[in-house]
Amino acid sequence: MSDALPHIVILGGGFGGLTATQALARTPARITLVDRHNHHLFQPLLYQVATAGLSAPSIAAPLRQILRHQRNVTVLMDEVTGIDLAQRRVQLTRERLDYDWLLVATGAAHAYFGHDGWAADAPGLKSLDDALAIRRRVLTAFERAEQEDDPARRQAWLNFVVVGGGATGVELAGTLAEIARHTLTGEFRRAQPRAANILLVEAGPRVLAAFDPALSAKAQRQLEHLGVQVRIGQAVTSVDGEGVTLGTERIAAHTVLWAAGVAASPLGRSLDAPLDRAGRVIVQADLSLPGHPEVFVLGDLASVQQDGRPVPGVAPAAKQMGQHVGRLIAARLRGDRRPQPFRYRDAGSLATIGRMAAVAQFGRLRLSGLLAWWVWLGAHIWFLIGFRNRLVVMLDWAMAYWTQARHARIITGADERADRD
Amino acid sequence: MSDALPHIVILGGGFGGLTATQALARTPARITLVDRHNHHLFQPLLYQVATAGLSAPSIAAPLRQILRHQRNVTVLMDEVTGIDLAQRRVQLTRERLDYDWLLVATGAAHAYFGHDGWAADAPGLKSLDDALAIRRRVLTAFERAEQEDDPARRQAWLNFVVVGGGATGVELAGTLAEIARHTLTGEFRRAQPRAANILLVEAGPRVLAAFDPALSAKAQRQLEHLGVQVRIGQAVTSVDGEGVTLGTERIAAHTVLWAAGVAASPLGRSLDAPLDRAGRVIVQADLSLPGHPEVFVLGDLASVQQDGRPVPGVAPAAKQMGQHVGRLIAARLRGDRRPQPFRYRDAGSLATIGRMAAVAQFGRLRLSGLLAWWVWLGAHIWFLIGFRNRLVVMLDWAMAYWTQARHARIITGADERADRD
């Protein structure tokens, strides 16, 4: 490929970066896609890996495999250490890239609202490594309960606190309740998995705040029906290895999962542009960086307002942004200079709660319960990348549905925390 | 369950320990099965996880799930720290168990023949964590090659050395050759995966020494046909992060895999009994410990001679030993005191080399090539534990067969070595 072709550097192979890359398939350009992982991750199903329902490879595919037929792309597994907007250069740990166009789509991580020390005791869920660490903790907790004679100490291993009542928190809490009440039935001789308490703590006034209040109420009832204790309007004031504090109440729990806060990738701070409160880059109407029409920010890292409301940090929005920026650059390279503002089309919202329970919202249509669950199931299988993954996920779920078993219930890796007896 | 029932403690949930547990299903006894992992592992397919063909959960199942209907068993995930034969006690990290009968089936680990310092640079393959670490190294090596400009340094990332020409070494080398020549085709832009050198080093006079010499020769030809360089009669004299030394020859290779030596579990040394050169416990004809008819050693930890030859350390032998000891204890508890020597029935040997290449030996029948491969495939799918696993493995393999893709090609976890640029 000629070096004379314009060089498009895309940072991040999530929904935004991958979609942009694919939208540029027929554009005469050299594209370099950089991700610190070797795989694209189907993040909406990450909670299933964390709760042992799916294996990690079922929701991830190597970026270079997805893009192997797109000959204008070079995939690099590396990390970005700096961006020089003036020189139009990106520094990676192993090489330096000069760009003509730059797309920054490095997403978001967890935010602990100034309590970064909580991270070790309350892991969040963003990457496959996060999911495997949570799976290890959850499964190990039941094992420890089986080996603990003292009732109070045993219960601390059977208490699970999920912090944050958004989609991820609701999914985690609902699935933990199923595991305790159904999956593990009959497998323990000393501890009773059914004695597990699953606590979902939300500081705001309702769960699933992005949904219609009526659906939030239904979701809460469905969670409670599954056995989850929902605590609304309560904020976690401390977290340590022995439990959490909610105001004046102390709850002994060795397993605390964090689904409360999202902080944009720190790369946003190096772009010399205004950031919103979550650290997201406030972009122009066409998603370009103010003063830098050759640089675009997309996905969870971009702060975009539309009709007075923020565009949500969800997969469909990131994909639409990727599509938009890909087409825009293709047009520019054809000499088309017309302004092209980004417009988000809300395709609806879906959140699953547990076996046969979900909520869905499409424009004015609201669904909950079994029907919403079927819609959720179909949509998630449909959008999974790669034929094989879809088939295996369907098979895993069909088996799980009938048997209530969860096939990925293996503990791998060492617990990164000190041993607690 | 009454405490008056005899207590049978089984250490290790591999093929030996699990089979013994299941053979005692109808025996009026309390059984405690201890394993440091929560899962039984189908070890013959571990190399498939290491080479990204199968996901880890496909070849592992939680011990307590397998045994959930066997009400006389308590499963504990814990490690043994000591055995007191005189007091009939086993010390775990979290509790102490008093036993009436003890089965020690803790298997084997890698042996570096006095060079334990090589372990960091030449990992072996015994557990799922080992397999995932090898998968990470192999996949990362190709990524690093893509980012390396200097031809010699790039080639060092594309050189793979497998030490040991037994079944595991042959399987690893054959599969690595397939990955380099087929799976990764067209996915890299700078490096050529086909430029990879796969070196299989065996110090003895032939590969697959447990097989008939004619089959060893065929296996070597099949390996060479796949692109593996087979070095016979050459011993590795040093290993470090930059490569290996074979006598006076230095080979630059960042990826070295160890499949050469097996050392019995160190627990054998605490049993106060004679050990063979590999550290295995030399047991009585009925697999009991000399002087301790209530203690049995089985599986890879037991050294058993039959007709002047050692019983091999393979899964069928471990399962037969488990069956034998389970039945023997059941008989003793019924009051039957007759001596019951163990007798190994050789069900044949199978080793796979690569896509459509294997060798098999059943008594006087010898097979190689495609037919042996079909026999290998059927046998391994048949013996995989659990309906779901068999189905998914079949699906994965059918897909891999047609597409040459390997679905578990994701890099998780951090490389435990220092970064090498």
Side-chain angles (χ1 to χ4, degrees):
Chain A
M1 209 171 305
S2 165
D3 275 7
L5 289 174
H7 188 202
I8 306 171
V9 172
I10 301 178
L11 306 179
F15 287 111
L18 179 59
T19 309
T21 305
Q22 291 174 318
L24 288 161
R26 290 172 190 181
T27 300
R30 291 178 298 135
I31 303 171
T32 303
L33 175 62
V34 181
D35 198 289
R36 61 179 153 169
H37 297 119
N38 80 324
H39 50 269
H40 173 72
L41 179 64
F42 192 79
Q43 244 177 3
L45 289 178
L46 200 52
Y47 82 97
Q48 285 270 353
V49 174
T51 54
L54 291 173
S55 68
S58 291
I59 64 158
L63 283 164
R64 57 177 78 260
Q65 185 184 5
I66 300 171
L67 296 165
R68 69 188 180 284
H69 297 304
Q70 189 174 333
R71 302 301 302 178
N72 64 353
V73 181
T74 300
V75 176
L76 298 178
M77 188 176 92
D78 206 338
E79 288 195 60
V80 180
T81 58
I83 298 176
D84 185 336
L85 292 172
Q87 300 287 324
R88 300 194 179 179
R89 278 180 185 163
V90 174
Q91 184 64 48
L92 310 180
T93 61
R94 294 191 185 78
E95 62 194 283
R96 199 181 69 194
L97 301 172
D98 294 302
Y99 64 80
D100 297 299
W101 302 85
L102 178 67
L103 278 63
V104 187
T106 46
H110 333 107
Y112 290 89
F113 309 121
H115 299 282
D116 288 349
W118 296 357
D121 293 311
L125 184 61
K126 278 286 169 192
S127 69
L128 277 181
D129 284 323
D130 292 341
L132 295 173
I134 289 178
R135 182 179 83 185
R136 181 165 58 236
R137 286 192 187 207
V138 168
L139 297 176
T140 302
F142 287 101
E143 298 292 335
R144 290 284 185 278
E146 181 79 342
Q147 293 169 285
E148 185 57 73
D149 277 333
D150 178 72
R153 290 161 67 94
R154 172 175 290 173
Q155 192 60 47
W157 283 113
L158 292 175
N159 288 347
F160 297 83
V161 179
V162 179
V163 185
T168 300
V170 165
E171 287 159 353
L172 284 173
T175 315
L176 287 176
E178 278 181 47
I179 289 174
R181 295 196 152 202
H182 298 290
T183 308
L184 301 180
T185 303
E187 294 194 8
F188 290 81
R189 301 293 179 254
R190 303 162 174 182
Q192 288 300 326
R194 294 182 73 91
N197 289 315
I198 321 293
L199 216 68
L200 179 64
V201 183
E202 166 58 45
R206 58 191 176 97
V207 299
L208 297 180
F211 284 74
D212 186 275
L215 286 180
S216 292
K218 282 190 176 161
Q220 182 170 344
R221 279 202 298 279
Q222 291 179 52
L223 281 168
E224 285 163 354
H225 182 72
L226 285 169
V228 176
Q229 296 177 38
V230 182
R231 302 287 192 93
I232 293 298
Q234 298 190 19
V236 170
T237 48
S238 85
V239 178
D240 56 58
E242 307 296 322
V244 301
T245 308
L246 305 177
T248 57
E249 185 185 4
R250 175 73 186 171
I251 296 163
H254 288 302
T255 315
V256 182
L257 307 182
W258 193 260
V262 167
S265 154
L267 218 50
R269 290 200 290 272
S270 62
L271 292 179
D272 207 14
L275 306 179
D276 72 7
R277 287 202 314 168
R280 287 175 300 204
V281 179
I282 298 171
V283 290
Q284 308 279 85
D286 64 353
L287 305 182
S288 68
L289 200 63
H292 287 278
E294 77 285 6
V295 179
F296 297 85
V297 181
L298 54 160
D300 286 357
L301 183 56
S303 179
V304 184
Q305 294 285 322
Q306 181 168 305
D307 309 332
R309 296 177 56 193
V311 171
V314 295
K319 286 161 89 169
Q320 290 177 30
M321 292 185 203
Q323 191 87 31
H324 167 84
V325 173
R327 285 184 184 159
L328 191 150
I329 293 175
R332 293 281 181 276
L333 290 176
R334 286 194 309 268
D336 181 349
R337 299 261 147 219
R338 281 173 296 182
Q340 298 190 19
F342 171 70
R343 185 93 204 142
Y344 172 59
R345 298 172 307 281
D346 184 359
S349 302
L350 278 162
T352 184
I353 294 154
R355 190 174 146 84
M356 293 182 283
V359 291
Q361 177 171 322
F362 304 99
R364 293 189 180 176
L365 180 66
R366 276 117 180 72
L367 302 173
S368 66
L370 185 59
L371 182 59
W373 186 75
W374 279 109
V375 172
W376 176 89
L377 193 70
H380 281 74
I381 289 176
W382 180 255
F383 287 112
L384 252 188
I385 280 202
F387 167 75
R388 185 260 169 206
N389 283 354
R390 273 184 217 159
L391 209 68
V392 171
V393 167
M394 271 196 285
L395 186 71
D396 282 352
W397 283 354
M399 288 294 294
Y401 184 89
W402 292 115
T403 64
Q404 303 246 21
R406 304 185 73 78
H407 89 273
R409 274 176 49 209
I410 52 163
I411 299 174
T412 54
D415 197 327
E416 63 282 10
R417 300 172 295 175
D419 217 310
R420 287 179 185 141
D421 283 356
Chain B
M1 209 171 302
S2 165
D3 275 4
L5 289 175
H7 188 202
I8 305 170
V9 171
I10 301 178
L11 306 179
F15 286 111
L18 178 59
T19 308
T21 306
Q22 291 174 318
L24 289 160
R26 291 173 189 181
T27 301
R30 291 177 298 133
I31 303 171
T32 303
L33 174 61
V34 181
D35 198 290
R36 61 179 155 170
H37 296 118
N38 80 326
H39 50 269
H40 173 71
L41 178 64
F42 192 79
Q43 242 175 6
L45 289 178
L46 199 52
Y47 82 97
Q48 286 270 353
V49 174
T51 53
L54 291 173
S55 68
S58 292
I59 63 157
L63 283 163
R64 54 177 79 260
Q65 183 184 7
I66 299 172
L67 296 164
R68 70 190 181 282
H69 297 303
Q70 190 174 331
R71 303 300 304 177
N72 64 354
V73 180
T74 300
V75 175
L76 298 177
M77 187 177 91
D78 207 339
E79 288 195 60
V80 179
T81 57
I83 297 175
D84 184 336
L85 292 172
Q87 300 287 324
R88 299 194 179 180
R89 279 179 184 162
V90 173
Q91 184 64 47
L92 310 180
T93 60
R94 295 189 184 80
E95 63 195 281
R96 200 182 67 196
L97 302 171
D98 293 303
Y99 65 79
D100 298 299
W101 302 85
L102 178 67
L103 278 63
V104 187
T106 45
H110 333 108
Y112 291 88
F113 310 122
H115 298 282
D116 288 350
W118 296 357
D121 293 309
L125 183 62
K126 277 289 170 191
S127 69
L128 277 182
D129 284 323
D130 292 342
L132 296 173
I134 289 178
R135 184 179 80 186
R136 180 164 59 236
R137 286 190 187 209
V138 167
L139 297 177
T140 301
F142 287 101
E143 298 292 336
R144 288 286 184 280
E146 181 78 343
Q147 294 169 284
E148 184 58 72
D149 276 333
D150 178 73
R153 289 160 70 94
R154 172 176 290 171
Q155 192 60 46
W157 285 113
L158 292 175
N159 288 347
F160 298 83
V161 179
V162 178
V163 185
T168 300
V170 166
E171 287 159 353
L172 284 173
T175 315
L176 287 176
E178 278 182 48
I179 289 174
R181 297 199 151 200
H182 298 291
T183 308
L184 301 181
T185 302
E187 294 194 8
F188 290 81
R189 301 293 180 254
R190 303 163 172 183
Q192 287 302 326
R194 294 181 75 91
N197 288 315
I198 320 292
L199 216 71
L200 179 65
V201 182
E202 166 59 44
R206 57 192 175 100
V207 298
L208 298 179
F211 285 72
D212 187 275
L215 286 180
S216 292
K218 282 190 176 161
Q220 180 169 345
R221 277 201 299 278
Q222 291 178 53
L223 281 167
E224 285 163 351
H225 181 72
L226 285 168
V228 175
Q229 295 178 38
V230 182
R231 302 287 192 94
I232 292 298
Q234 298 191 17
V236 170
T237 48
S238 85
V239 178
D240 57 58
E242 307 297 321
V244 300
T245 308
L246 304 178
T248 57
E249 184 186 5
R250 175 73 183 173
I251 295 162
H254 289 302
T255 315
V256 182
L257 307 181
W258 192 260
V262 167
S265 154
L267 218 51
R269 290 199 291 270
S270 62
L271 292 178
D272 207 13
L275 306 179
D276 71 8
R277 284 203 315 170
R280 288 176 300 202
V281 179
I282 299 170
V283 291
Q284 309 277 87
D286 65 353
L287 305 183
S288 68
L289 201 63
H292 287 277
E294 77 285 4
V295 179
F296 297 85
V297 181
L298 53 159
D300 285 355
L301 183 57
S303 179
V304 184
Q305 293 284 324
Q306 182 168 303
D307 308 332
R309 296 179 54 193
V311 172
V314 294
K319 286 162 88 169
Q320 290 178 31
M321 292 185 202
Q323 190 89 30
H324 167 84
V325 173
R327 286 184 184 158
L328 190 151
I329 293 176
R332 293 282 181 274
L333 291 174
R334 286 193 311 266
D336 181 348
R337 299 264 146 216
R338 282 174 296 183
Q340 298 190 17
F342 170 71
R343 185 92 203 145
Y344 172 60
R345 297 174 308 283
D346 183 359
S349 302
L350 277 163
T352 185
I353 294 154
R355 188 172 148 85
M356 296 182 283
V359 292
Q361 176 171 325
F362 304 99
R364 294 193 181 172
L365 180 66
R366 277 118 180 71
L367 302 173
S368 66
L370 186 59
L371 182 60
W373 186 74
W374 280 109
V375 172
W376 177 88
L377 192 72
H380 281 75
I381 288 176
W382 179 255
F383 286 112
L384 251 187
I385 280 201
F387 167 75
R388 184 262 170 205
N389 284 354
R390 270 183 220 162
L391 209 65
V392 171
V393 168
M394 269 195 287
L395 186 69
D396 282 350
W397 283 353
M399 288 293 293
Y401 185 87
W402 292 114
T403 65
Q404 302 248 24
R406 304 185 73 80
H407 89 275
R409 272 178 48 207
I410 53 164
I411 299 174
T412 56
D415 198 326
E416 61 283 8
R417 299 174 296 175
D419 217 312
R420 288 180 187 143
D421 282 359

